[in-house]
Each structure stands twice: as structure tokens, then as C-alpha cells.
Coordinates of all heavy atoms in Angstrom, one line a residue:
P1 N 12.8 70.9 13.9 CA 13.6 71.9 13.3 C 14.7 72.6 14.2 O 14.6 72.4 15.4 CB 12.6 73.0 13.0 CG 11.4 72.8 13.9 CD 11.5 71.3 14.2
A2 N 15.7 73.0 13.5 CA 16.8 73.7 14.3 C 16.3 74.9 14.9 O 15.4 75.7 14.4 CB 18.0 74.1 13.3
L3 N 16.9 75.3 16.1 CA 16.4 76.4 16.8 C 17.5 77.5 16.7 O 18.7 77.2 16.6 CB 16.2 76.1 18.3 CG 15.0 75.2 18.5 CD1 14.9 74.9 20.1 CD2 13.7 75.8 18.0
P4 N 17.2 78.7 16.6 CA 15.8 79.3 16.6 C 15.0 79.1 15.3 O 15.7 79.0 14.2 CB 16.0 80.8 16.8 CG 17.4 81.1 16.3 CD 18.2 79.8 16.5
A5 N 13.8 78.9 15.4 CA 12.9 78.7 14.2 C 11.8 79.8 14.2 O 11.3 80.2 15.2 CB 12.2 77.3 14.4
V6 N 11.5 80.3 13.0 CA 10.5 81.4 12.8 C 9.6 80.9 11.8 O 10.0 80.5 10.7 CB 11.3 82.6 12.4 CG1 10.2 83.8 12.2 CG2 12.3 83.1 13.4
W7 N 8.3 81.0 12.1 CA 7.2 80.7 11.3 C 6.4 81.9 11.0 O 5.9 82.6 12.0 CB 6.3 79.6 11.8 CG 7.1 78.3 12.1 CD1 7.6 77.5 11.1 CD2 7.5 77.8 13.3 NE1 8.3 76.4 11.7 CE2 8.2 76.6 13.1 CE3 7.3 78.2 14.6 CZ2 8.7 75.8 14.1 CZ3 7.9 77.4 15.7 CH2 8.6 76.2 15.4
R8 N 6.1 82.3 9.8 CA 5.4 83.5 9.4 C 4.7 83.2 8.1 O 5.2 82.5 7.3 CB 6.2 84.7 9.4 CG 7.3 84.6 8.5 CD 8.2 85.9 8.5 NE 8.0 86.9 9.5 CZ 8.9 87.6 10.1 NH1 10.1 87.6 9.6 NH2 8.6 88.5 11.0
P9 N 3.5 83.8 7.9 CA 2.8 83.6 6.6 C 3.5 84.4 5.5 O 4.0 85.4 5.8 CB 1.4 84.2 6.9 CG 1.5 85.0 8.1 CD 2.7 84.5 8.9
R10 N 3.4 83.9 4.3 CA 4.0 84.5 3.2 C 3.1 85.4 2.5 O 3.2 86.6 2.2 CB 4.7 83.5 2.2 CG 5.9 82.8 2.8 CD 6.5 81.9 1.8 NE 7.6 81.2 2.4 CZ 7.8 79.9 2.1 NH1 7.2 79.3 1.2 NH2 8.8 79.3 2.7
T11 N 1.9 84.8 2.1 CA 0.9 85.5 1.3 C 0.4 86.7 2.1 O 0.2 87.8 1.5 CB -0.2 84.6 0.9 OG1 0.3 83.4 0.3 CG2 -1.2 85.2 0.0
T12 N 0.1 86.5 3.3 CA -0.5 87.7 4.2 C 0.4 88.8 4.2 O -0.1 89.9 4.0 CB -0.8 87.1 5.6 OG1 -1.7 86.0 5.5 CG2 -1.4 88.2 6.4
R13 N 1.8 88.6 4.4 CA 2.7 89.6 4.4 C 2.7 90.4 3.1 O 2.7 91.7 3.1 CB 4.0 89.1 4.9 CG 4.1 88.5 6.2 CD 5.5 88.1 6.6 NE 6.2 89.4 6.6 CZ 7.5 89.4 6.7 NH1 8.2 88.4 6.8 NH2 8.1 90.6 6.7
T14 N 2.8 89.6 2.0 CA 2.9 90.2 0.8 C 1.7 91.1 0.4 O 1.8 92.3 0.0 CB 3.1 89.1 -0.3 OG1 4.2 88.4 -0.1 CG2 3.2 89.7 -1.7
V15 N 0.5 90.6 0.6 CA -0.7 91.3 0.3 C -0.8 92.5 1.2 O -1.2 93.6 0.8 CB -1.9 90.3 0.5 CG1 -3.2 91.1 0.5 CG2 -2.0 89.3 -0.6
A16 N -0.5 92.3 2.5 CA -0.6 93.5 3.4 C 0.2 94.6 3.0 O -0.2 95.8 3.0 CB -0.4 93.0 4.9
Y17 N 1.5 94.3 2.8 CA 2.5 95.4 2.5 C 2.2 96.0 1.1 O 2.4 97.2 0.9 CB 3.9 94.9 2.6 CG 4.3 94.7 4.1 CD1 4.9 93.6 4.5 CD2 4.2 95.8 5.0 CE1 5.3 93.5 5.9 CE2 4.5 95.6 6.2 CZ 5.2 94.5 6.7 OH 5.6 94.4 8.0
L18 N 1.8 95.2 0.1 CA 1.5 95.7 -1.2 C 0.3 96.7 -1.1 O 0.2 97.7 -1.7 CB 1.2 94.6 -2.3 CG 2.5 94.0 -2.8 CD1 2.1 92.8 -3.7 CD2 3.3 95.0 -3.6
T19 N -0.8 96.2 -0.3 CA -2.0 97.0 -0.2 C -1.6 98.3 0.5 O -2.1 99.3 0.2 CB -3.1 96.2 0.6 OG1 -3.3 94.9 -0.1 CG2 -4.3 97.0 0.7
A20 N -0.9 98.2 1.6 CA -0.4 99.4 2.3 C 0.3 100.4 1.4 O 0.0 101.6 1.4 CB 0.4 99.0 3.5
G21 N 1.2 99.9 0.6 CA 1.9 100.8 -0.4 C 1.0 101.4 -1.4 O 1.1 102.6 -1.7
V22 N 0.1 100.6 -1.9 CA -0.9 101.2 -2.9 C -1.8 102.2 -2.2 O -2.0 103.4 -2.9 CB -1.7 100.1 -3.6 CG1 -2.9 100.6 -4.3 CG2 -0.9 99.2 -4.5
I23 N -2.3 102.0 -1.1 CA -3.1 102.9 -0.3 C -2.4 104.2 -0.1 O -2.9 105.4 -0.3 CB -3.7 102.3 0.9 CG1 -4.8 101.3 0.6 CG2 -4.3 103.4 1.8 CD1 -5.3 100.5 1.7
M24 N -1.1 104.1 0.4 CA -0.4 105.3 0.8 C -0.1 106.0 -0.5 O -0.2 107.3 -0.5 CB 1.0 104.9 1.5 CG 0.8 104.7 2.9 SD 0.1 105.9 3.9 CE 1.3 107.3 3.6
L25 N 0.4 105.4 -1.6 CA 0.7 106.1 -2.8 C -0.5 106.7 -3.4 O -0.5 107.9 -3.7 CB 1.3 105.1 -3.8 CG 1.7 105.7 -5.1 CD1 2.8 106.7 -4.9 CD2 2.2 104.6 -6.1

């Protein structure tokens, strides 16, 4: 891959941020 390359999970981020938003709300 071309540099810089960034790898991060998609589902984990989506679930974590949605859950955080629901809990805060």
C-alpha cells in the first residue's frame, strides 16, 4: 500500500460512537 496507510475497524467505531451517543442522550 501507498504510505502513509491507516488501518482502523469500521464496525467497532460505528457501534462505539452510536452507543456513546445513545447513552449520553
Side-chain angles (χ1 to χ4, degrees):
L3 293 179
V6 179
W7 301 287
R8 56 180 14 147
R10 291 181 184 147
T11 306
T12 302
R13 294 183 65 184
T14 302
V15 169
Y17 286 129
L18 282 174
T19 303
V22 167
I23 288 172
M24 280 304 299
L25 182 62

